[in-house]
Amino acid sequence: MDRRTEVQSVWDGDEKLRKAFESADVAMVTLDLHGNFRWVNKAFCDLLGYSEDEILGKSFADHTYNEDVKLGLNRLERFMAGEVSSVNFEKRYVHKDGSLIWVQLHSSVVSAQETDQTQFICHIYDISDRKRMEEELRQSRQELESRVKERTQSLQYEISERMKVELSLRDRELKLRENEDWTAFALA
């Protein structure tokens, strides 16, 4: 069975559902029990920069950032063990041009009773802009905290130096008063 026939079998008997998936603005895919892409919509292809033919039949791990593959495999194992029927998590895909794409992925198990075929259906939302803003905010906070710490240390030093000067001036004032008292006593 070629990939096109497999994709068609996913939607057998439900043309409206197939059209809804294909025309959805949100990236959507179905995966088999091994994590291989069975169906992808245009929004997902656009997100990764690949054609449908370049994606179908490959594993989700082929397009997932290396550090996040284990996370996806862990979710797949939890599905297979029956621990969960849906998951929601953030991960990174690798675009065809090599850039990273942060996504929020929601995946559910779908079983077709008439074919006894189980698959995963995933909704994938591009959150790259949000992640970029979060990183910029984190860096700004870090820079601000560094400036505050630096300024606090500077102020502490200034206060310490002023206290030394003030103590020195008080000490001189006391010595001058003692001298004035002694001079006034000697003149009397």
Side-chain angles (χ1 to χ4, degrees), residues 16 26-27 41 57 59 73 108 110 115 119 127 131 161 175:
K16 288 180 185 177
V26 65
N41 70 352
S59 169
L73 291 173
S108 301
V110 178
T115 62
Q119 59 189 342
I127 59 169
K131 285 294 198 177
E161 289 301 305
K175 287 181 182 178

Side-chain angles (χ1 to χ4, degrees), residues 71-106:
L71 176 69
L73 291 173
N74 174 272
R75 298 305 193 275
L76 190 59
E77 288 170 6
R78 293 183 68 204
F79 274 127
M80 298 303 288
E83 295 175 20
V84 295
S85 61
S86 69
V87 293
N88 192 20
F89 62 100
E90 295 177 357
K91 67 176 266 182
R92 291 163 287 188
Y93 279 114
V94 180
H95 190 276
K96 188 174 186 174
D97 67 12
S99 62
L100 294 181
I101 305 160
W102 274 100
V103 298
Q104 179 75 37
L105 186 141
H106 178 80

Side-chain angles (χ1 to χ4, degrees), residues 46-57:
D46 292 346
L47 181 68
L48 295 187
Y50 289 97
S51 70
E52 183 178 0
D53 288 336
E54 292 174 299
I55 297 172
L56 289 178

Side-chain angles (χ1 to χ4, degrees), residues 169-186:
L169 289 173
R170 284 186 186 171
D171 189 44
R172 285 185 184 172
E173 182 182 17
L174 284 174
K175 287 181 182 178
L176 284 174
R177 285 190 182 174
E178 286 176 2
N179 283 342
E180 285 177 5
D181 289 345
W182 181 256
T183 304
F185 176 72

